[in-house]
Amino acid sequence: MYLLFCVNTAAYAAVSPIPLLVEQCLSYQFPINNDLANNPTQQAIQFERDLIGFFNINDRLKYYRQFPLTYADRERVLQCQLYLADELALFFKSAKFQSLRFNLAASQDPNIQALIQRLNRLAQNTEKPYQKAQLHTAQAAFKQGIASQALSINFTGEKCQINPGTVKIEQKGQKQAKRFDDTLANYLINQPDELCRKHVWQAYQGRASVKNQTLLNQITELRALQATQAGFNDYVDQITSQQWLSTPSAVIQFLHNQTQAINIAPWDLGRKLAQSNSTPVTAYSSTMWLEQVAKTLTTFAISFSKVNNKLYRVYHEGRLLGEIYLNQGNRAKAKAIRHSVVGQQFGQFELSLPENLNRYSQQNRAIEAIANIISQLGRGDKFYLNNTLGETQDSAQIDQLWLQTWLKAQLLPTPMPDSKEAILQHYSVQLQVFRAKVAFNTYMAPDNGNRFDLNNEFTLAFGKSWDNITDSAYSFSGIVYQGPLYYQTIWQQAVARAVYLATKDCQNQQSIFNNLVVNETASDLATRLQLLLGEPITNDSLIKRTQYVFNHQDQHPRRCTFLRQ
């Protein structure tokens, strides 16, 4: 079945599709057929056909949640998502699922083996309804606290005040109060006194600490209980046991290897950037830029067919992958509407782009968005879960991030080491590394000997101290959503970069794309990485390869080890 799901933001605003979608959602039932129990191949195909409606409803709910919904529609969508999650949890506990899992496990088909691996992981991580409700409520409240931009700082003297024309000054008793709202960045750029910048930055980072401390304690207690019930020492042990970096010590080794002294304190970053030059790029309209991308992607036998100014069809080696709906927006962004499944349905994505892409940052974000779309459309499996879930959570986006790296190398100039872009890249890496250490500490048992010394780790990277280092746990929402897996983005970026460096001089780049992104044979990641990197893959060897990948100077030999040249 191929349903054209045309998206138009204006039409959405006029007539909300949420009531109809919710009606479909709440009436959905799992139509699992057990008649083919003795044939795992047929049963897997039947399973896919039965659940494709479930997956599509879920994806459409995620898509619509990105719009500014009314309160009533937001509540409807939430109700629907909870219903689907509960139905899925009931299915995983059912005799039908146990029968399905038993039969699929007997298959030697690599695609089915990959499918059962993902089903088992989903079933293993399905939370109890009561715990799930507690967890999601606490996470949402924590995020709301982080999102608050309101901050008042009382200055007892004139030293830390700056030009009243830059910020709003209010009288509170006999003290001067500085209300920041959206002017924190301006203050950090314009305040010449480092001690003042430091005090203000630290106060801003701790703005939600009082409110969010209770919430974070509640979340960590729920996670600790979950880990104990599953037989693990703590939640870090439990969650890493399911990942590519399968032990806490492997993650700790990676984070230590990624720690580099950039010696730029967070409160000094704004002034450093203000004194740096931007990397110049060729300006394009969004239409011209998309044409440049399409031309570049022909290297992988990817082609675009323009239906009209708002609709493009994407093909790989002549096979239709799906459609891209082009919208104008302030920032480049990719939104999944429906995922492609070979033999079942084509994919659909919305791509928002600014009218003109004049700056490096705009083109950089646009490349990330298009790489997201092409990598997801290009995955060549016949099962939805194999195309949308990685073998592990910390390996699911390596193909997408490799494609980003490849496209940036083709379409963007290399930033100079002292440019805004280079400084931001190095800073963001170190910030992610530090926060990953904070998240690890937060979910470790108090008596765990592997805990990081956060004061020391902050100083190692940024060259300065953070007086109230405990506030670091309340300064980013990823600590309650990704938790100990906060490291996964920087890890996958590093692996993707290592793959790019090892294969960038190979003549047959299409084979690399087919191996890493399409993966029609459903080969596991270790097999694919071994082929691409030219050596057996272990955690130690891969971590060593990632140690210097974010340096501007290429320290890897310029040779191709990929076998299929």
Side-chain angles (χ1 to χ4, degrees):
M1 179 182 69
Y2 182 71
L3 174 64
L4 181 63
F5 185 76
C6 189
V7 178
N8 184 285
T9 304
Y12 168 83
V15 180
S16 171
I18 298 299
L20 178 59
L21 178 59
V22 170
E23 182 181 346
Q24 294 174 340
C25 167
L26 297 179
S27 62
Y28 183 84
Q29 300 291 327
F30 279 77
I32 302 302
N33 189 333
N34 271 344
D35 295 339
L36 303 172
N38 294 323
N39 187 327
T41 300
Q42 291 297 320
Q43 190 172 26
I45 293 172
Q46 184 65 53
F47 171 80
E48 185 70 23
R49 290 174 180 169
D50 286 343
L51 286 193
I52 197 70
F54 170 86
F55 297 137
N56 286 341
I57 290 174
N58 204 33
D59 285 336
R60 286 166 64 191
L61 288 169
K62 292 177 184 176
Y63 172 75
Y64 283 121
R65 282 197 68 179
Q66 300 173 91
F67 290 99
L69 303 178
T70 65
Y71 177 80
D73 279 352
R74 205 164 50 241
E75 288 298 306
R76 290 188 186 104
V77 169
L78 178 59
Q79 178 189 15
C80 187
Q81 288 185 307
L82 291 174
Y83 169 78
L84 291 180
D86 290 342
E87 288 295 303
L88 186 63
L90 290 173
F91 166 66
F92 284 142
K93 293 178 181 179
S94 69
K96 292 180 179 180
F97 175 69
Q98 302 308 321
S99 174
L100 174 73
R101 179 157 59 177
F102 178 80
N103 280 282
L104 295 186
S107 174
Q108 298 303 310
D109 184 329
N111 298 84
I112 295 178
Q113 290 177 352
L115 174 63
I116 192 62
Q117 178 194 49
R118 286 155 176 78
L119 282 171
N120 286 337
R121 192 171 89 229
L122 284 176
Q124 182 180 355
N125 291 311
T126 300
E127 297 150 344
K128 297 177 180 178
Y130 177 69
Q131 289 182 336
K132 178 175 62 181
Q134 283 186 306
L135 180 65
H136 290 184
T137 300
Q139 287 172 330
F142 188 98
K143 183 179 180 181
Q144 185 179 19
I146 294 293
S148 173
Q149 298 295 308
L151 175 68
S152 291
I153 301 295
N154 292 329
F155 297 122
T156 56
E158 299 291 327
K159 179 182 177 182
C160 287
Q161 296 177 25
I162 57 176
N163 187 347
T166 303
V167 295
K168 180 181 179 182
I169 303 296
E170 296 180 338
Q171 293 288 340
K172 285 191 176 180
Q174 297 182 354
K175 297 180 180 180
Q176 293 286 331
K178 160 91 171 49
R179 184 169 297 281
F180 289 99
D181 295 333
D182 296 327
T183 64
L184 175 65
N186 285 337
Y187 180 87
L188 296 179
I189 290 172
N190 291 297
Q191 172 56 261
D193 190 290
E194 181 186 357
L195 189 59
C196 293
R197 295 196 302 271
K198 178 179 180 179
H199 287 334
V200 169
W201 181 87
Q202 288 183 151
Y204 183 79
Q205 297 304 311
R207 67 195 184 281
S209 58
V210 175
K211 175 182 177 181
N212 279 354
Q213 182 176 13
T214 301
L215 295 168
L216 185 57
N217 288 341
Q218 181 182 358
I219 292 168
T220 54
E221 287 170 6
L222 285 170
R223 292 304 196 189
L225 176 62
Q226 174 185 328
T228 302
Q229 291 174 342
F232 292 90
N233 292 329
D234 54 34
Y235 186 58
V236 170
D237 280 337
Q238 181 187 20
I239 199 67
T240 54
S241 70
Q242 304 171 29
Q243 308 308 318
W244 178 277
L245 294 181
S246 57
T247 63
S249 60
V251 178
I252 290 169
Q253 179 188 352
F254 167 71
L255 293 176
H256 279 313
N257 282 3
Q258 288 296 307
T259 304
Q260 296 182 20
I262 60 169
N263 295 321
I264 302 174
W267 47 87
D268 295 332
L269 179 65
R271 291 179 69 83
K272 180 73 173 177
L273 292 175
Q275 298 164 5
S276 305
N277 295 320
S278 297
T279 302
V281 295
T282 302
Y284 291 104
S285 67
S286 59
T287 302
M288 290 296 295
W289 180 84
L290 203 55
E291 290 178 5
Q292 291 294 317
V293 171
K295 186 183 301 184
T296 304
L297 287 170
T298 58
T299 300
F300 304 132
I302 295 287
S303 60
F304 283 39
S305 173
K306 184 177 179 179
V307 179
N308 55 51
N309 290 335
K310 295 293 184 182
L311 176 61
Y312 290 79
R313 291 200 173 106
V314 184
Y315 297 82
H316 178 239
E317 297 179 348
R319 177 174 66 88
L320 177 62
L321 302 180
E323 297 173 329
I324 298 176
Y325 299 97
L326 189 62
N327 280 335
Q328 187 174 325
N330 294 328
R331 291 170 61 93
K333 189 173 184 180
K335 300 177 184 177
I337 302 170
R338 190 175 67 187
H339 290 278
S340 57
V341 181
V342 175
Q344 291 283 347
Q345 64 186 23
F346 305 116
Q348 294 176 330
F349 280 79
E350 178 187 331
L351 174 62
S352 297
L353 291 174
E355 183 178 358
N356 296 296
L357 297 131
N358 302 324
R359 300 191 303 275
Y360 184 100
S361 59
Q362 290 177 314
Q363 295 185 16
N364 187 65
R365 284 193 294 267
I367 287 173
E368 291 173 355
I370 198 71
N372 180 358
I373 292 173
I374 297 302
S375 63
Q376 293 194 62
L377 287 178
R379 290 169 188 166
D381 207 287
K382 57 187 177 183
F383 298 116
Y384 174 95
L385 291 178
N386 293 356
N387 284 334
T388 56
L389 296 180
E391 292 177 32
T392 61
Q393 289 171 267
D394 69 349
S395 66
Q397 294 183 312
I398 290 174
D399 59 338
Q400 174 185 323
L401 294 168
W402 166 81
L403 185 56
Q404 283 183 20
T405 304
W406 189 91
L407 285 171
K408 289 176 184 180
Q410 307 302 313
L411 297 169
L412 286 175
T414 301
M416 296 298 292
D418 58 350
S419 66
K420 278 185 171 68
E421 292 73 26
I423 293 169
L424 273 173
Q425 181 191 44
H426 285 293
Y427 175 82
S428 65
V429 168
Q430 291 311 305
L431 182 62
Q432 288 180 74
V433 169
F434 175 73
R435 285 178 167 178
K437 296 171 183 175
V438 174
F440 240 56
N441 270 18
T442 301
Y443 291 89
M444 279 183 176
D447 59 350
N448 193 314
N450 291 321
R451 297 173 67 85
F452 292 98
D453 180 344
L454 294 181
N455 281 296
N456 184 55
E457 299 298 334
F458 186 86
T459 303
L460 280 175
F462 303 109
K464 301 291 174 66
S465 62
W466 185 343
D467 296 340
N468 306 308
I469 198 70
T470 54
D471 285 346
S472 59
Y474 312 111
S475 62
F476 62 109
S477 59
I479 198 167
V480 297
Y481 287 102
Q482 288 83 43
L485 293 183
Y486 191 85
Y487 75 89
Q488 64 180 319
T489 298
I490 190 70
W491 160 248
Q492 292 180 92
Q493 287 173 336
V495 173
R497 177 74 175 165
V499 171
Y500 168 76
L501 291 173
T503 60
K504 66 178 181 177
D505 294 316
C506 298
Q507 293 183 357
N508 194 342
Q509 291 291 309
Q510 184 181 341
S511 291
I512 300 169
F513 179 85
N514 290 345
N515 176 283
L516 194 59
V517 178
V518 180
N519 190 26
E520 189 174 351
T521 60
S523 300
D524 62 55
L525 184 60
T527 300
R528 287 181 284 155
L529 289 180
Q530 181 171 337
L531 183 63
L532 292 166
L533 300 178
E535 66 179 15
I537 300 302
T538 64
N539 279 343
D540 286 343
S541 67
L542 203 52
I543 288 172
K544 288 177 182 176
R545 274 185 172 269
T546 65
Q547 187 166 2
Y548 301 107
V549 295
F550 293 112
N551 287 355
H552 287 285
Q553 297 178 351
D554 185 357
Q555 301 181 13
H556 291 70
R558 294 181 62 81
R559 61 188 177 86
C560 178
T561 59
F562 185 52
L563 298 181
R564 286 181 275 174
Q565 299 186 47

